[in-house]
Structure formats: structure tokens, C-alpha cells
Amino acid sequence: MIDTCQIKGFKCFLSQDIGLSKLTIFTGLNNSGKSSAVQAIRMALSERSQVGPYIDGLGGFSELSSDFSDKGAPINISLITSNKVIGSLELTSEGFIFEKGKGLPLVQFISADRYGPRVALPLMRDDESFLNVGDRGEFSAHFGNLMEGVIVSEMMRHPECASNILKHQLGWWMSEISPGVKLDFNVMRKYDSSHTEVNGLRPTNAGFGISYVLPVLLALLSTSARLEDDSEPKLRAWFDHLKKWSSMLLIENPEAHLHPRGQTLIGRLAALASISGGQVVMETHSDHIIDGVRLAVKQESEIPAEAVKIKYFTKSPEECSSIQEISVLKSGQLDNWPKGFFDQGSLNLRQLATKV
């Protein structure tokens, strides 16, 4: 597990150590540094990329350098486990240097900008090093087709589902979000295409919520699953890596297009996944996601309170981003509630209760 991400000279950070736990939640006002922290972790974990650490659309060194750093100063991002640097990245105007130790996890990133309902989705290339749902969920149908027979870990199983395989478990959990929904995945290799059927219909007739949450559910359920039939080489390599180095899920805004009930469920499943499998980092603006995590800590004896960290980001226009840690107690309560942290509902109610 990665304990700390150290960031120096990157965007809104001059020098910042971000402590990570099994489940870490980034929250705060818009433009406070949450996405930048996720981007920093992604870049430091992109050592396997054939195109380098830069993320499409973010620009190069000059655009990523912090306004609070000396001009031309390098950008440094380090990932630390048990006081040892297991991966680091240095960016300069002349290039970049990766330093890789042992223990870098298998990474999946799911962007807030996900594919909505589409009739056809692409396939993962045969030369993909590791399976993934795609940054925008574009490989969800192909990933789901490959993973549908794997065994979901006991902690992640729906209490009313008699089957332990991913396809059936996914269906039951999805029904908690959209009652009665039935999913099928189809792959057409000759056409380099895949698609998801929702109750036998094309996904464009099912709304945005199912398409947006599908890659999130697939990633959470599979990260702690196990493989019994190893006839598929890709699956075998993926699970071998999971067993050896574990995994990290980076998820932006899992609440998008979901009813509050579904948002609460995703928070609960994220907490369970972080204990039964790999490490999870989520960026969210949803108090229902937070509530789902709090309920999981309170109701599930296997989830220790210290396994969850909430990072509340703040930033003023003239200052670096700052981060305040909020702890979840075993009772599900929070140890403090800083100003601006999901207090808008109370503020609105107070105004509504005021006599005109």
C-alpha cells in the first residue's frame, strides 16, 4: 500500500505530503487541488506508459509548474511505502526521470468524464499490458465479458445473491441502483467492437446512470476477486500481478448521474473493496458517498476506522492548496467538521427557516 504521495512544485502545490490509507477520499470546493492531487499520483504511477508521464490535455512542464516555485525548478512526485520511496518522477524542461522500486501497484483510473450510453464500445488492444475498464469506461463491456466468471471476494458479495461469480454479483448490486436491471456483455472481435445490453435493449434506452456507474462497479468488484479458470492468459497475468503487488483504484466523481441511494451504495462498496482488495482513492463532491463510507465503518466489523482518511482541500487565489484531514470514528461519526465541508444543506435550511 502507498502510504504517502509527496508533491513538490506541481500546479497548486509547492510542497505537500498527502497521507493515504486503504480508502482515501479527496473532497473540497472546486479548484481546490483535488484533481491535481489525483493527476500527480497518476503521473508517478505511469512508469509503464510508452508515451511518458504527461497526461493528455494538461500541457507540458511549463504549464504544470507551480506558480509558487522558483522559475525552472523541477517538479518532483514521490510515492512512499513504509518510509521507502517505491516510485518517483522528476520533470524538468529537458525531460523526465522515473525511479522505480519494488511494489508499484496495478493501477486503474476512472475519469469523471466517462462514456455515456453508447451502442458500441471499443475493445482493449491485444498488446495491452494489463486489463482495465478504461479511463472513460470505454472498455467496460470487454472487461466485463472477460471478468464475468471470476469469483468475487466474500466481503464484496451481495447478501441475497446465491452465486459468487462476478456477472451475477454485478447484476444484484446494479439492481440496488436500478431495480430489476439485467446486464449482458458482448464482444465482436472481427469488428473491434463490444457492447452492453441492458434488459436486452441497447444502453441508449437505459439512461446515463447505468453507463456511468458500470466501470466503477466492475473495478470495485474485480480488484479483490480471484481466478479459478486460468485458460485466458490476460486474466492470469492480471491476477498474478494483483496477488504480487495489489492494486490502486483512482476514481473521480463516482456519484455522477446516480440517485443518492446509489451514491451511498458506492461509498459502502468502496470501503469494502479497500479492505478486501487493493487501495482506493476517490475524489467526490457527494455527502452521500461520504455517508456510505461512514455507514460501512460503523456496520462492518472488518473495516477499522483508521483504514479511511478524508482529505478536505481548500485554496485561496493567492495561496497554495492546503489539506485538512478528517477522521472517521468507529461509530461512523467524524472527528471534526470544518467550515465548508458539506455544510451547505444546513445553511440552506437555516435560510429557509428564517422569517421573511
Side-chain angles (χ1 to χ4, degrees), residues 14 30 39 48 57 94 151 187 194 221 227 287 301 318 354:
L14 176 59
N30 297 100
Q39 291 159 9
R48 297 187 185 91
E94 298 179 353
I151 307 301
V187 172
S194 62
L221 291 174
L227 180 67
D287 52 347
S301 59
E318 296 80 22
T354 301

Side-chain angles (χ1 to χ4, degrees), residues 182-201:
K182 184 178 183 296
L183 301 177
D184 288 295
F185 304 114
N186 297 290
V187 172
M188 297 168 286
R189 292 191 174 276
K190 290 185 177 181
Y191 300 96
D192 295 326
S193 179
S194 62
H195 68 271
T196 303
E197 289 185 7
V198 182
N199 294 336
L201 303 173

Side-chain angles (χ1 to χ4, degrees), residues 157-165 168-169 172:
R157 293 175 194 168
H158 192 285
E160 297 181 32
C161 181
S163 171
N164 59 8
I165 66 171
H168 297 150
Q169 288 290 325
W172 275 85

Side-chain angles (χ1 to χ4, degrees), residues 29-62:
L29 296 180
N30 297 100
N31 200 38
S32 59
K34 306 181 301 299
S35 295
S36 294
V38 171
Q39 291 159 9
I41 296 171
R42 288 180 64 198
M43 292 177 71
L45 286 171
S46 64
E47 188 272 339
R48 297 187 185 91
S49 172
Q50 298 177 355
V51 296
Y54 287 104
I55 298 172
D56 288 346
L58 296 186
F61 172 75
S62 62

